[in-house]
Amino acid sequence: MRRWQQVLVYGVTGVVVLTVATGGYLYYRLNSNIQQAPLFAGEDGDAGQEVPDAFGRTPINVLVIGSDSRSDPENCTIGGACEDSGTNADVNLLLHVSADRSNATVMSIPRDLVTDLPGCKDPKTGKSVFKAQRGMINSTLVGGPGCTVAAVRKLTDLPIDHFVQVDFTGVIKMSDAVGGVPVCVSDNVYDPYSHLKLSKGEHTLQGLAALQFVRTRHGFGDGTDIGRSSAQHLFLGSMIRQLKSAGTLTNPAKLLSLADAATSALTVDPGLDGVTKLVGLGQDISKVPSERITFTTMQVIHDPADDDRRLIGPGATDLFRMIKDDRPLTGGPQPGDAASTAPSTAASAPASGPASPPAAPSTSPAADGPARSTVTVVVRNGTGVTGRAAALADVLRQAGFAKGTAAGQSVTAAHSAVTYPAGKKAAAQQVAAALGLPASAVRAGDGSSVELLIGTDWTTGTSYPAAAGGTAPATSTAPSADPAAALKGADVSTADDTSGCAEVGRQKTVSLPGMGGMTPIQAYDRSKGVPDSAP
């Protein structure tokens, strides 16, 4: 749902033109559409302050919140589960626009991330609305969007300048206003929970189908927020390209529809509570070229205590610091550096060192082996520690290995190793290098797949420990200016990428009445009577 920030960006940029054409009535109509709430509701501290660059320019950080509220009949009908009166932040998306407006970062924070949450109060009455606790970050929205701002501020140490909150109806209205968003899915998919049902290939989504797509988590990847975030990145990138190519900003009818949909769908902080303020934000963001808008998801790992939850992963604090220091994640010149004549993108920059898995997926074969995205790994837990295989499978997927990488049957083992079938040695060596396993741990195996065996010599952590013969993870007090280093373990794409399809999951993440668990592909094949969401 974070895509709605970009809809807002390009949609409201032309509101001034419309105002001139249609008079003050339209201005007041659009202005009155917008709801507002306090920016910060934490019991301690504040939302932070940006640091100007050498020319006095400041970055912009906007938290985009996708609400699952069913508080009104329309959202209740769309979202279902009307008995659930609670409100959660199902999408938390941090939009960072650089001080010089040359680049932007869109970072997803998974809804099921468990972290230390701050206490929050009603800024008007001073009464407590949310108690300090350790829990899922999406739960903070019950204390209002200012409480979610406080939680993201505590998690990332990033100043939050503004927030934009969008609900179910907002997603539908804006996708309709833009005329639909082209997407691609890798396989047939049916998620009976979000009701998304699409055949393999390309589709143009609008209305309810668009909402189903951005809400789907059981249909993509491993059925968690990581797969959903990746699909949302594809959706938003496509929407940006659609807005730029469809002449929306020069068509008064389209622009009016989009502006009306955008403003009526939003709750914002007082700093964005008027059309002219939103136009200013839109103009700032519209300066950023599509190829310089980086989408990423913060690094997380499985929670060993609960397989349905995530914890902050290795490298996340470096990513936060990179954003805080206003460092571009698409390569090119860094602030204070000499201009580069040949900028490289984060998605193709080589990662160095075996300690942490590089985040940027390889899309073409490397000199010493196949593309990571073609390597599927079976991870077997030989430690006796619950959740170890799932946690490391998650790390490998985030490092760019195939989405089908998953936990296999548990075994008993004293020593960790990577085994391979005939012809797959180079792939196994890539897996070992990504996790810090020594070359001696790579050996021929009896199975048909590359397999990671986790022994009792590696019961904790996501990099093989030096004490067991591996290479210790490098720890740094300051992040590197190299984007690939900051993005290790994070899913990465850019807004100009037209090659990607949302990866449909191949694990048993869904079920149908009387049929038990199955993959989203199987669910599609077994639901002939359910109409597709889009042609």
Side-chain angles (χ1 to χ4, degrees):
M1 296 177 199
R2 57 195 178 208
R3 311 326 186 202
W4 326 138
Q5 176 60 36
Q6 290 295 340
V7 174
L8 167 68
V9 163
Y10 293 101
V12 301
T13 298
V15 169
V16 171
V17 176
L18 285 175
T19 301
V20 173
T22 61
Y25 166 73
L26 178 57
Y27 176 87
Y28 287 111
R29 170 184 160 186
L30 296 175
N31 234 26
S32 63
N33 281 345
I34 305 170
Q35 302 180 61
Q36 67 161 290
L39 173 63
F40 187 82
E43 292 179 340
D44 301 301
D46 56 34
Q49 297 291 325
E50 298 288 0
V51 178
D53 67 7
F55 301 96
R57 303 169 300 187
T58 56
I60 304 171
N61 288 329
V62 182
L63 182 63
V64 182
I65 303 169
S67 167
D68 71 350
S69 172
R70 277 92 164 162
S71 58
D72 64 74
E74 189 174 7
N75 278 310
C76 171
T77 301
I78 294 169
C82 296
E83 69 281 357
D84 181 6
S85 59
T87 298
N88 292 308
D90 261 12
V91 173
N92 287 312
L93 172 90
L94 184 71
L95 167 66
H96 171 84
V97 185
S98 67
D100 64 3
R101 308 300 187 255
S102 69
N103 64 90
T105 297
V106 181
M107 182 183 75
S108 296
I109 301 172
R111 64 182 290 277
D112 44 14
L113 174 73
V114 174
T115 186
D116 293 326
L117 306 173
C120 297
K121 61 185 178 183
D122 184 324
K124 295 181 179 179
T125 66
K127 293 183 179 180
S128 175
V129 292
F130 188 85
K131 293 183 178 180
Q133 59 190 277
R134 186 165 178 81
M136 285 174 58
I137 198 165
N138 73 331
S139 66
T140 56
L141 195 55
V142 300
C147 190
T148 302
V149 167
V152 173
R153 166 76 171 148
K154 180 179 178 68
L155 171 70
T156 64
D157 194 36
L158 287 162
I160 309 297
D161 305 298
H162 302 289
F163 75 78
V164 175
Q165 180 178 315
V166 185
D167 59 19
F168 292 156
T169 58
V171 175
I172 289 177
K173 290 176 181 177
M174 285 186 278
S175 66
D176 284 344
V178 78
V181 180
V183 300
C184 171
V185 290
S186 65
D187 297 274
N188 294 340
V189 57
Y190 179 40
D191 178 356
Y193 307 109
S194 72
H195 306 293
L196 178 74
K197 187 168 186 274
L198 294 173
S199 59
K200 177 179 179 179
E202 298 181 354
H203 305 271
T204 297
L205 304 183
Q206 58 187 119
L208 187 59
L211 177 65
Q212 291 170 346
F213 186 89
V214 298
R215 290 191 69 202
T216 293
R217 60 180 282 146
H218 297 89
F220 299 133
D222 62 351
T224 70
D225 252 23
I226 303 302
R228 176 162 68 173
S229 294
S230 181
Q232 288 172 348
H233 294 166
L234 293 173
F235 186 93
L236 182 50
S238 178
M239 179 174 282
I240 293 171
R241 296 190 299 273
Q242 181 79 349
L243 283 166
K244 287 188 174 185
S245 66
T248 301
L249 300 183
T250 58
N251 184 314
K254 288 184 179 180
L255 193 54
L256 172 59
S257 177
L258 182 58
D260 199 25
T263 54
S264 64
L266 304 177
T267 301
V268 300
D269 67 277
L272 292 177
D273 66 351
V275 168
T276 54
K277 296 176 183 178
L278 290 171
V279 169
L281 175 62
Q283 289 173 334
D284 278 334
I285 302 174
S286 65
K287 297 174 184 176
V288 182
S290 297
E291 66 271 15
R292 298 280 285 171
I293 300 174
T294 302
F295 298 113
T296 187
T297 302
M298 65 166 282
Q299 298 93 329
V300 293
I301 59 172
H302 280 82
D303 183 350
D306 187 342
D307 198 45
D308 291 329
R309 302 289 178 261
R310 300 294 176 269
L311 302 175
I312 186 170
T317 54
D318 282 347
L319 175 58
F320 301 156
R321 185 55 186 267
M322 191 92 166
I323 296 173
K324 186 175 182 178
D325 289 346
D326 201 24
R327 299 278 183 173
L329 296 178
T330 49
Q334 300 289 329
D337 293 346
S340 171
T341 57
S344 60
T345 63
S348 61
S352 59
S356 300
S362 172
T363 57
S364 59
D368 56 350
R372 285 188 178 187
S373 60
T374 67
V375 178
T376 300
V377 186
V378 177
V379 184
R380 301 192 186 280
N381 186 2
T383 66
V385 177
T386 302
R388 287 293 289 154
L392 289 179
D394 196 9
V395 168
L396 287 170
R397 286 193 300 272
Q398 293 178 45
F401 290 92
K403 301 295 185 181
T405 294
Q409 184 175 1
S410 297
V411 293
T412 300
H415 301 288
S416 300
V418 181
T419 64
Y420 59 89
K424 295 293 183 68
K425 183 176 181 179
Q429 289 171 332
Q430 288 189 11
V431 173
L435 297 172
L437 283 156
S440 59
V442 179
R443 61 173 187 257
D446 298 327
S448 59
S449 303
V450 174
E451 297 188 3
L452 169 63
L453 177 63
I454 315 168
T456 54
D457 57 349
W458 188 14
T459 57
T460 61
T462 57
S463 292
Y464 190 65
T471 303
T475 57
S476 61
T477 56
S480 168
D482 176 16
L487 289 167
K488 287 180 180 179
D491 184 54
V492 185
S493 62
T494 54
D496 67 330
D497 184 4
T498 61
S499 62
C501 284
E503 289 288 340
V504 177
R506 297 180 177 275
Q507 301 181 44
K508 294 181 178 181
T509 56
V510 301
S511 62
L512 295 173
M515 297 186 190
M518 64 189 69
T519 70
I521 301 172
Q522 293 170 328
Y524 182 96
D525 294 337
R526 298 174 186 179
S527 302
K528 303 295 185 183
V530 178
D532 281 18
S533 300

